[in-house]
Amino acid sequence: MTATAFKSYRPPIIEADGDGEVLEVAMGPHHPSTHGVFRMDVALDGERVIRLKPVFGYLHRNHEKIAEKGSYLASMPYTDRLDYFCSLTNNWAYALAVEKLAGLEVPERAEYIRVITAELTRIQNHASAIGFLMQEMGASGTPLMYAFREREKILDLFEELTGSRMMCNYMRFGGCRSELPTGWLEKVKVIVAGFPAFIDEIEALLTSNEILMARAQGVGVLTPELAVNAGITGPMLRAAGVNYDIRKVDHYGIYDRFTFRVPLGDHGDIYDRYMIRVLEMRESIGILEQAIRDIPAGPIMDPKSKIRGFRPKVGEAYGRIEAPKGELGFYLISDGTSNPYRYRVRPPSLINLTVLEDMCLGQNVADVVLIFGSVDIVLGEVDR
C-alpha cells in the first residue's frame, strides 16, 4: 500500500434517504464505568447510522498536570490507574521513559520479570476483552465468567507479587521494586501450562459460533488506510492487516530474544478483532514459556538508580511499549529538577476511539454497541 493511497482516503458520506427524517439519539452510558464520561451522539435514518460522534474525555483527573507537580516516582502509582486492567504494563511504559531520560540500565533478571508480568497482563486483558465483547452481543454470563475465572488466577499472582490485584505498583526506574516471592515462578508455570486449554475452550464455544459470525463478520470494518492515517495501534491495527507490533519494530526490553509471530487479520471487522486477540494470547503463552525457561539469577535494580533526590539531567525522552490495547507512550521533558517539566501520555484507548464513527457509518444501530465493544477501551486512558 502506498503513501498516496493513505492520503487519498476519505470517510464515506452517508446521507439520509426515504422521507429524510433523522432521529438523533444519545446512546450511553451503558456501563457504570462510562457514566458521565462517555456517550455516543448518533443520527439514525431508520435503523441505519448516518452520523456518530463519540463524546468522551471528561473524567478530569488531571493526571498529566498532577505528574508535573510531583516527583518522578510519585507519578508511578497514578500510571496504575490509567488502564486498570493493565497496571503493570502502564508501570513499564513510564519507567522506560524515565530510564531513557536518566540513562539507567535495567538488569537482565528484571527485564525477564517485566516481560513475564507484561505478557500475563496481555492474556488476562485479551480474555476479558473477549468476554466483554460477547456480553455486548447478548451472551450474558458464560464467556465473560469463563474469562474472569482465568483472570482471577493471574490476579492472584499479581497480588502475591505486588500486594494488589488491580492497581499493581511494581516497576521502578532501573528495575523492579522487589525480588520474586519464593515459589512464584512455579505458580506462573502452572497457570501458563493450563491457559491453552482455556483458549481452546473459548474457541470451541465462539470461533465457529453462527451468531458471532453473523453479528461480527463484515461489521464495523476498519480499513488499513484509515487505521494508519488515524494512528490506530494494537489488535485493532493488526486486525486491519497492518503488520506493526512495537515488540518487533522497537525491540524495547529484551523482546528481540523471543520467538513469536504477529497475527494479522484480513478484513478489519469485529470478527478479525476477536480472532487477533485469541491468536495473540497463544503467542503470549509462547513468550511466557521462553521467559520462564531462560530467566537468569542476579540483581533486579540498576545500582545507579536512587529513590531520593532523583533529578534527571535536562533533556527529553519518549518511552513506548506494545500495551495490550496498543501503543502506550510517555513523553517527558526534564529541566533538571525533581519533577518533570512536561509529562504527556499517549494512551491507545483515546486514539483507537477516534475511528468509532467511521466504523459505525452505514451499520445498523444494533451493531453500534458491538463495534464499540470490539475497540476494547478503559476510560481512565481517555481522560484529558
Side-chain angles (χ1 to χ4, degrees), residues 68-112:
E68 290 169 6
K69 300 300 180 186
S71 70
Y72 284 89
L73 183 60
S75 297
M76 185 64 84
Y78 289 104
T79 68
D80 310 342
R81 289 145 177 83
L82 286 173
D83 174 357
Y84 41 80
F85 274 79
C86 304
S87 54
L88 285 167
T89 45
N90 297 349
N91 280 183
W92 191 0
Y94 177 52
L96 198 61
V98 176
E99 286 156 3
K100 283 186 176 181
L101 197 59
L104 297 174
E105 294 184 4
V106 179
E108 287 247 321
R109 182 171 175 81
E111 292 281 21
Y112 276 88

Side-chain angles (χ1 to χ4, degrees), residues 269-322:
D269 55 14
I270 294 174
Y271 189 83
D272 278 6
R273 292 194 276 279
Y274 155 75
M275 280 304 308
I276 287 295
R277 291 184 175 106
V278 168
L279 296 172
E280 288 190 357
M281 284 194 290
R282 295 195 186 277
E283 296 302 320
S284 290
I285 292 298
I287 295 172
L288 281 163
E289 290 171 343
Q290 296 170 63
I292 294 167
R293 181 194 64 202
D294 298 338
I295 184 171
I300 58 166
M301 280 293 289
D302 183 339
K304 298 194 298 294
S305 180
K306 55 181 181 179
I307 302 299
R308 299 184 186 282
F310 183 76
R311 295 170 183 267
K313 62 183 180 181
V314 175
E316 59 185 292
Y318 179 66
R320 64 173 185 166
I321 66 163
E322 184 64 44

